Amino acid sequence: MCGTLRASDAGKTVTLMGWVNRRRDLGNLIFVDLRDRTGLVQIVIDKESNPALHEKASRVRSEYVLAIVGNVKKRDDSTINKNVPTGEVEIIAHELRVLNDSKTPPFAPSDQAIGNEEVRLKYRYIDMRRPEMQANIELRSKVSLAIRKELSSHGFLEIETPFMTRSTPEGARDYLVPSRVYPGSFYALPQSPQLFKQILMISGFDKYFQIVRCFRDEDLRADRQPEFTQVDLETSFPTQDRVFEVVEAFLVAAFREAGIELKPPFPRMKYDDAIRKYGIDKPDMRLPEITDVREVFTEENLNALSLDPLLPVVAVRIPKVGELSRKERDDNKQLVASKPGVKVIDDLKRLEKSFPDAVTKLRATVEADADDLLVIVAGAPTEERTGLAMRKAAEAVYTSAGAMRLALTQKYKDKHGAFNKTGTANDYRFLWVTDFPMFEYDDKDGRWNAAHHPFTSPHEEDFGKLLSDPGAVRALAYDIVLNGTELGSGSIRIHRQDIQKQIFNALGMTDEEARSRFGFFLEALEYGTPPHGGIALGLDRIIMILAGADSLREVIPFPKTAKAVDLMVDAPTPVSATQLKELGIAVKG
RNA sequence: GGGGACGUAGUUCAGUUGGUUAGAACGCUGCCCUGUCACGGCAGAGGCCGCGGGUUCGAGUCCCGUCGUCCCCGCCA
């Protein structure tokens, strides 16, 4: 192959096939860089030694597909190119065949600056000829294989589940597939194989996994595509620790493919601690946590600052940012949409004039260096003093501080350098977040929703609070977080039908409603369901992080745009009236 | 659904306060060139300034609308 030839291959006769990356025509001497999946090699065509060949080569253009027969020759010392792996050799062509010509492409795979995404996506086949894309897609294949091997070696079976399945009203919007046989009825593409994998546990396949496509009709982000791939797994008779071990094992195998040697076990943190220390349920561990600095202020201090002494006062520390100008501080306030009742103090100098003792204590408490940026986040006195109101106000302080921490670390990443790559496992800070709340209160609808999904088991000791105090029920649910990105989410499931019913009731569903939505599943639970649990991880996100990419589109061969359009095939499209009629569907103008 | 950025040659971009024939680089075409590797030199072609309306003597430039791409919020059990 083109990219694999080395000085040790000198003297061999080789047949190479590939694309013309670049042609350098010096008149009677032509150089062609031939490119295939493995890289580039320089072909030499000399008019003097082969005029007919030279004539053919002079008509060759970028992205023509060539077959070359030639001799591998070690280059003279003066002509070695140290910038390419094959730079010590070149191919003296004896024969050249144009297998296909090419229109001038809208952009060249050999270009240093890559074109805009619209053009890249429309001409994805050319974009994917670029070495970066080739490397990402190769990495994806290797990582998938490593995960399959690892899970298989632990006794997991890869089992397929349907893509055409049943719509469930919970969760994300479904992509629907109309049924021709039953006009007006629809299949749904799975948001995840959740219920199928639980059924497989009931069926006795005690260790299941699948690298599987999932579909969610929600708005996109750089790290969210409407169809994406999960590494999905489930085991019977699990413990949380057992699930963590299996995931850590396959992540070690996956990262090894990218030359990173991870060191499990990964640290763990309870959800409540994550909120208190990082103001978010997916903390980025590469920077210092938020510090509680309530104690450095007296009650008089806080009253003078119009801050509520009963609410948390926390400090966000961003190392090595130095002093900020007035303008920068104003700009920074724009970074985070301020929540009502949350106050931000970002001018320590001014604070120091009025409260010198507090600021001295503050610096000591957060162990701040002189050039560290400190921002204080606290709460204005709340009007309502009930327990729930105070809890919400406190959470608003934590999450605002968390958002501030993220925005500032992003903005000043050049200064603190915490995101700089070292090429070691230290670049990848994994974290298990555990003990998520079972329910979240939905202010709009005035009811409780499942924080993870409604098949998640609560902590056994919280069973009693399911109806009396849903907000206090902890779930056996866990997330795996990498550098502030949620990679995966899982739980120990409910295997008792009576508990499952209670959960549906707590979610405000009557028995009839539960039966109409999940009847098949509730029935299955009654036939000897083993305890079981599992997790699903976003494969695309894993590859994205390993590839050092900023967008999922860099690691998905044929991705969709932010408006969920495939620019290459131009999908979605309207369909013919005949098709619609056959499906019994009428489209409103 | 909301906010922001962008849209000018095949590509990446510049285009002043609204004022003559809209520029550059790369790419492309032709010619020259035997050691280049982002080859070099000379010459040339290439534009619905996203689209539609408006203001104006005059619009790439100002206003309104619309479409597209990207980022964020909402949303994503």
Side-chain angles (χ1 to χ4, degrees):
Chain A
M1 302 281 282
C2 297
T4 58
L5 294 168
R6 295 293 179 272
S8 56
D9 296 306
K12 291 182 186 166
T13 298
V14 291
T15 304
L16 298 172
M17 281 168 247
W19 287 261
V20 175
N21 197 60
R22 252 175 228 283
R23 183 186 59 119
R24 289 176 294 279
D25 187 346
L26 275 61
N28 291 328
L29 181 65
I30 296 173
F31 299 100
V32 171
D33 289 339
L34 198 68
R35 183 194 70 236
D36 62 20
R37 195 159 64 75
T38 60
L40 297 172
V41 70
Q42 174 165 282
I43 315 291
V44 185
I45 300 115
D46 178 0
K47 188 173 189 177
E48 206 167 276
S49 50
N50 197 335
L53 196 70
H54 178 271
E55 163 62 18
K56 267 200 230 173
S58 68
R59 286 197 305 270
V60 153
R61 294 293 181 270
S62 286
E63 299 307 308
Y64 277 30
V65 186
L66 305 184
I68 300 279
V69 181
N71 261 344
V72 182
K73 176 183 160 250
K74 192 170 179 338
R75 296 195 196 181
D76 297 339
D77 286 350
S78 60
T79 61
I80 285 174
N81 183 354
K82 292 198 178 80
N83 300 320
V84 290
T86 59
E88 283 187 52
V89 296
E90 59 194 5
I91 310 300
I92 308 301
H94 303 147
E95 216 177 301
L96 180 158
R97 195 165 302 170
V98 175
L99 301 178
N100 214 335
D101 61 4
S102 167
K103 285 170 68 174
T104 302
F107 59 95
S110 60
D111 280 351
Q112 303 290 326
I114 52 174
N116 71 46
E117 290 225 33
E118 229 170 319
V119 184
R120 286 180 59 200
L121 290 177
K122 179 164 182 199
Y123 299 95
R124 191 58 158 177
Y125 37 90
I126 294 167
D127 188 40
M128 286 199 289
R129 288 179 191 167
R130 294 168 42 236
E132 292 83 358
M133 289 300 291
Q134 296 260 322
N136 289 354
I137 287 162
E138 182 176 347
L139 177 67
R140 189 175 175 121
S141 171
K142 284 181 171 169
V143 166
S144 299
L145 181 60
I147 291 172
R148 284 200 165 93
K149 271 192 196 157
E150 184 67 24
L151 287 173
S152 298
S153 79
H154 288 260
F156 282 77
L157 302 184
E158 183 162 22
I159 306 176
E160 288 171 281
T161 51
F163 276 4
M164 291 164 65
T165 179
R166 190 192 158 89
S167 176
T168 54
E170 302 281 315
R173 277 182 281 264
D174 288 321
Y175 279 101
L176 296 176
V177 180
S179 159
R180 174 182 55 82
V181 183
Y182 301 97
S185 286
F186 296 81
Y187 303 94
L189 304 179
Q191 297 173 25
S192 78
Q194 183 61 35
L195 291 177
F196 286 104
K197 69 175 174 176
Q198 292 191 239
I199 298 270
L200 286 169
M201 294 303 107
I202 299 174
S203 309
F205 294 101
D206 61 345
K207 289 175 182 164
Y208 145 92
F209 86 101
Q210 189 178 189
I211 295 184
V212 62
R213 201 66 59 83
C214 302
F215 308 85
R216 294 180 189 175
D217 186 4
E218 296 294 342
D219 288 338
L220 279 64
R221 289 286 187 285
D223 62 353
R224 269 165 33 191
Q225 282 273 313
E227 53 177 311
F228 60 98
T229 303
Q230 284 191 343
V231 181
D232 190 39
L233 67 89
E234 193 81 5
T235 109
S236 292
F237 317 109
T239 60
Q240 193 169 278
D241 286 347
R242 183 68 195 121
V243 173
F244 289 5
E245 275 171 31
V246 170
V247 171
E248 285 167 358
F250 86 64
L251 284 173
V252 166
F255 274 64
R256 194 169 284 150
E257 293 301 323
I260 305 291
E261 206 53 47
L262 297 178
K263 294 176 203 71
F266 304 150
R268 301 173 188 192
M269 184 182 297
K270 287 185 166 49
Y271 171 87
D272 286 343
D273 292 329
I275 298 293
R276 268 211 311 281
K277 292 181 177 169
Y278 296 93
I280 193 165
D281 62 358
K282 43 178 181 180
D284 190 327
M285 307 292 284
R286 291 174 295 180
L287 277 165
E289 57 189 59
I290 294 164
T291 314
D292 184 338
V293 293
R294 167 65 186 83
E295 290 311 314
V296 310
F297 295 98
T298 65
E299 202 156 329
E300 292 77 53
N301 290 164
L302 295 175
N303 286 332
L305 289 162
S306 318
L307 297 177
D308 192 325
L310 294 179
L311 288 177
V313 179
V314 300
V316 173
R317 177 168 77 91
I318 313 293
K320 299 191 178 101
V321 172
E323 212 160 296
L324 296 185
S325 68
R326 171 70 188 274
K327 184 180 180 306
E328 269 180 299
R329 289 202 304 272
D330 284 347
D331 287 349
N332 289 347
K333 281 185 182 153
Q334 309 296 318
L335 288 178
V336 180
S338 59
K339 289 193 179 156
V342 175
K343 290 212 158 185
V344 174
I345 301 173
D346 59 1
D347 191 346
L348 269 262
K349 276 196 161 167
R350 194 165 144 203
L351 187 70
E352 196 159 21
K353 277 180 193 155
S354 314
F355 310 99
D357 292 351
V359 173
T360 307
K361 273 195 254 173
L362 172 75
R363 289 191 188 282
T365 304
V366 300
E367 296 172 4
D369 288 333
D371 62 349
D372 289 356
L373 171 65
L374 292 181
V375 176
I376 294 168
V377 181
T382 58
E383 284 177 25
E384 237 188 300
R385 308 300 289 179
T386 63
L388 185 65
M390 293 302 281
R391 224 158 52 202
K392 279 179 91 173
E395 199 180 283
V397 171
Y398 289 129
T399 54
S400 295
M404 181 71 74
R405 172 178 179 271
L406 270 184
L408 292 174
T409 53
Q410 194 59 42
K411 176 166 176 180
Y412 296 112
K413 60 185 171 193
D414 293 341
K415 288 187 174 171
H416 59 68
F419 298 164
N420 294 351
K421 292 279 180 241
T422 61
T424 68
N426 281 337
D427 298 342
Y428 304 94
R429 302 289 294 275
F430 282 94
L431 176 72
W432 288 105
V433 179
T434 63
D435 298 277
F436 274 75
M438 185 74 196
F439 303 106
E440 283 165 349
Y441 194 72
D442 186 334
D443 288 319
K444 275 202 309 275
D445 298 353
R447 61 186 192 91
W448 293 95
N449 282 330
H452 182 58
H453 58 58
F455 315 106
T456 299
S457 176
H459 273 266
E460 208 162 326
E461 59 265 37
D462 293 348
F463 278 2
K465 300 182 205 158
L466 277 176
L467 293 172
S468 57
D469 187 6
V473 177
R474 291 163 301 149
L476 289 170
Y478 33 82
D479 276 5
I480 183 159
V481 174
L482 168 54
N483 294 351
T485 298
E486 182 198 315
L487 272 195
S489 193
S491 64
I492 305 301
R493 326 296 182 186
I494 299 165
H495 62 280
R496 278 167 49 186
Q497 203 241 10
D498 56 332
I499 302 291
Q500 185 67 69
K501 269 191 177 166
Q502 281 187 46
I503 299 294
F504 284 138
N505 290 346
L507 291 169
M509 246 186 266
T510 63
D511 285 358
E512 290 71 44
E513 282 174 322
R515 194 158 298 281
S516 77
R517 292 178 188 183
F518 304 110
F520 75 97
F521 183 67
L522 291 174
E523 191 178 3
L525 282 180
E526 294 180 280
Y527 289 94
T529 301
H532 60 285
I535 192 167
L537 279 76
L539 180 69
D540 314 275
R541 286 187 181 175
I542 293 172
I543 311 290
M544 176 174 94
I545 290 168
L546 284 176
D550 296 324
S551 162
L552 248 34
R553 292 184 300 274
E554 301 299 320
V555 297
I556 296 177
F558 303 105
K560 310 244 183 321
T561 69
K563 286 257 178 71
V565 168
D566 183 326
L567 290 175
M568 186 181 76
V569 304
D570 188 24
T573 56
V575 295
S576 70
T578 318
Q579 275 178 298
L580 286 176
K581 197 179 166 205
E582 201 164 40
L583 296 166
I585 294 175
V587 177
K588 279 195 185 173

